[in-house]
Amino acid sequence: MDEGKNTHEELFWIKDENRSTNRKDIRWFEEMLTFDTLREAEEWVMSDAYNKIGGDQFDGYWTGDPKLAFALVYNLTRLKTLGDASFNDIYADEENREGQTIFKVWVS
């Protein structure tokens, strides 16, 4: 495999100064459910958030459950790798709000 192709850096950016979650044009889908297992989180993401992100409804997703964020990033990256994505890039970040960690995933 070519070292310069299909790396996570092509698809997934973390804490890049030019890719801020403070942008006003991101339409966020807010989810505060938590799940016990990654499998449950993936099933939820694939049935709900996955179909809303990158389409006409929302650009980003934020959650308090890291399993939901991970499952969404994984599946968006898979979609992008397969070439079926309607977006160019996938981003992720986290922030603390009132003592709780919020995980954010968005596309552009």
Side-chain angles (χ1 to χ4, degrees):
M1 185 164 136
D2 185 357
E3 292 290 325
K5 297 255 183 192
N6 298 322
T7 66
H8 69 282
E9 293 176 3
E10 293 176 23
L11 303 172
F12 186 65
W13 302 86
I14 299 177
K15 297 185 188 267
D16 187 320
E17 291 178 11
N18 297 322
R19 293 166 172 86
S20 172
T21 60
N22 296 326
R23 290 183 15 214
K24 302 292 184 213
D25 61 333
I26 297 176
R27 297 166 296 165
W28 293 101
F29 179 71
E30 301 174 9
E31 184 70 77
M32 292 312 292
L33 293 174
T34 59
F35 292 91
D36 292 331
T37 67
L38 183 56
R39 180 67 185 141
E40 290 172 321
E42 183 172 31
E43 285 182 29
W44 178 261
V45 162
M46 292 302 290
S47 69
D48 195 35
Y50 179 77
N51 296 314
K52 294 179 180 178
I53 303 298
D56 294 332
Q57 288 184 294
F58 299 98
D59 305 307
Y61 180 82
W62 67 259
T63 178
D65 188 345
K67 294 179 293 301
L68 287 171
F70 175 83
L72 184 58
V73 167
Y74 173 82
N75 285 291
L76 290 173
T77 302
R78 184 176 179 276
L79 180 67
K80 178 73 175 165
T81 302
L82 294 173
D84 294 331
S86 62
F87 51 84
N88 293 319
D89 297 308
I90 304 164
Y91 309 100
D93 200 357
E94 64 183 56
E95 71 178 54
N96 288 314
R97 283 192 188 169
E98 300 173 7
Q100 181 178 13
T101 302
I102 302 297
F103 301 91
K104 297 179 174 185
V105 178
W106 71 103
V107 298
S108 66

